[in-house]
Amino acid sequence: MLAGSLLLQLAYFASVLFLVWRASCASRAGQRAEFRQVQERSIQPPDYDG
């Protein structure tokens, strides 16, 4: 019974670490996409309707 509870706690801890890691990866990917959009906007010349 003690080994089972330790295994459950270990699995819980590992799953929390995995979720934190996945969230940080998604956050970094979003920041990279946002940075690319800002770079693309700064490179394009302005539109003139004149």
Side-chain angles (χ1 to χ4, degrees):
M1 186 164 156
L2 180 63
S5 65
L6 288 175
L7 184 62
L8 281 174
Q9 287 182 355
L10 182 63
Y12 176 76
F13 182 69
S15 65
V16 169
L17 285 179
F18 173 73
L19 290 173
V20 168
W21 172 76
R22 192 174 68 170
S24 69
C25 287
S27 175
R28 276 186 261 145
Q31 287 174 353
R32 281 192 297 255
E34 184 178 322
F35 181 70
R36 272 187 244 129
Q37 287 176 353
V38 169
Q39 278 185 330
E40 288 172 359
R41 283 188 213 134
S42 65
I43 292 172
Q44 294 174 353
D47 291 334
Y48 293 108
D49 291 333

